[in-house]
Amino acid sequence: MLTLHGADRILIDARTERTGKLVLDDEGRVAPPDAAGAAGGGETLDVSGCVVTPGLVNAHHHLLQSGFRTLPGTRGVPMREWLPTMAAAYAAAGIDASLAAATAGVGIAESLLCGVTTVADHHLNWPQASRDPVADAVAIARAVAATAHTLGARLVFVRGSARDDPGEAAAGADAIASALLAPGHTGGVTDDGMLQLAVGPAGVHSDPAATFRALGEVAARHGLRRRTQANEQVDTEIALERYGRRPLDLLAEWGWLAEDVTIAHLCDVTPEEIRRLAEAGVSATHAPGCDVPMGWGVAPVAELLAAGIPVGLGTSGGGSNDAGHLLGDARLAMQVSALVGPPLPARTVLGMATEGGATGLGRSDLGHLRDGARGDACVWDRRGVADAGVADPVAGLLWASPGRRPRHVLVGGRVVVRDYRLVSADEDDLAGALGARLAASEV
């Protein structure tokens, strides 16, 4: 049992807070505050002067891109130029399980140190000219999952596709699900909730109907959720050029507007399309840290929320964002929201970064600290000068100190970041491993 004692505020969810203790039982789940006294023993963390929030959920990341940040030719260029530049960098490095492990190590560690306890990794790029693409796909998925396990983060591994052969993509997804999930799992999630699998083509700009349908069949067979990207700049342009239709029209025809689907970006959506998304039960992911610098625009989040569409928050990958700091992107989401509609309040965006993202993953056990939830929590120290003069501590978490890091991070009741440092790994070692792997590919 673990007790967090003395917090200034404990956010049960983005709109509910209390004072007192946060108690996590021996199974790592949130227990009633009086449970600590009844059980006795266990560890107590003094969190005086701190705000405790649910662990953040990064609902859209590309961990592989953590090894390819600020590449020349990837800033201020059209998406049509960005894609081949990134592809060339991947080809030069040679995508394999060792590269996936090294980039995931850096990306997941960065996430934990920024308060993200659950990372949804939309893995789109696979080895070229592979002799056994299915075995390679399983090896990469295992490598990323093993890295997350070592560091103590929750992982949602999305078997993505970007111009892959439809049958090959489906065979890889099927093999990953068979290899990494035990029989009888629920919703593609392991019993301990630490690993979840999903499928997802990059978008109609890269994948045809056959890929969407093939991966949809795998999802139905294994009970997995589906994820894709739509209505960013390149997606809309290519859909109109290639099909004479908008992306959501195609997704509807291909069976990908449904309750088990989450769509990232959605910068260019009409009121009628928002209505269609809401009626279909689709959830959304906002990624301003990618969309704004890439010139894709700003998703009309207030309109999506008003229509009843659950909205999560994601950083997207290092190739477009360069950082995995979800709280920093929450601040950006508030800053740019007034450009396309009503300004988003801090608690609304915090809700997107926690329970909103969890809802899109089908995870009612994450993103909040209500009794019975899995014990994922962040402890944010507010005693420094960056928080001096802040009238609203909750709003201050997002508005003040853009580079804020949590003092402690807990996943399932286990402390994985203590006093601002990873518990199970060393940052320098992880950075060095990625540097060595990239250097080896240049020899």
Side-chain angles (χ1 to χ4, degrees), residues 397-409:
L397 287 179
L398 279 65
W399 280 118
S401 187
R404 183 188 302 275
R405 281 189 171 192
R407 179 178 174 183
H408 308 304
V409 177

Side-chain angles (χ1 to χ4, degrees), residues 227-247:
R227 307 176 71 79
T228 192
Q229 305 169 125
N231 291 62
E232 64 268 65
Q233 181 189 58
V234 69
D235 193 60
T236 302
E237 288 180 359
I238 293 178
L240 289 171
E241 289 175 6
R242 187 174 297 162
Y243 302 100
R245 303 170 69 188
R246 288 175 61 82

Side-chain angles (χ1 to χ4, degrees), residues 93-183:
I95 297 174
D96 62 10
S98 68
L99 181 65
T103 53
V106 167
I108 293 172
E110 178 188 23
S111 298
L112 288 172
L113 289 165
C114 294
V116 172
T117 53
T118 299
V119 179
D121 176 26
H122 197 168
H123 193 98
L124 295 171
N125 303 93
W126 307 90
Q128 295 182 340
S130 170
R131 294 183 178 179
D132 192 340
V134 172
D136 285 343
V138 172
I140 287 172
R142 284 191 187 278
V144 177
T147 301
H149 176 77
T150 297
L151 293 172
R154 297 191 194 276
L155 173 71
V156 182
F157 186 84
V158 186
R159 200 303 180 187
S161 169
R163 301 181 181 86
D164 296 351
D165 173 80
E168 185 177 296
D174 193 70
I176 290 169
S178 298
L180 273 65
L181 294 174

Side-chain angles (χ1 to χ4, degrees), residues 239-316:
L240 289 171
E241 289 175 6
R242 187 174 297 162
Y243 302 100
R245 303 170 69 188
R246 288 175 61 82
L248 294 186
D249 295 328
L250 297 169
L251 291 180
E253 180 181 309
W254 298 349
W256 276 67
L257 290 189
E259 292 182 356
D260 65 322
V261 174
T262 300
I263 301 177
H265 302 297
L266 293 174
C267 301
D268 172 34
V269 286
T270 66
E272 172 60 21
E273 287 174 332
I274 292 174
R275 183 191 64 78
R276 290 177 68 189
L277 292 169
E279 289 181 352
V282 171
S283 57
T285 304
H286 185 34
C290 165
D291 297 336
V292 172
M294 292 299 289
W296 293 341
V298 181
V301 175
E303 292 182 45
L304 295 170
L305 291 170
I309 298 170
V311 181
L313 191 68
T315 61
S316 199

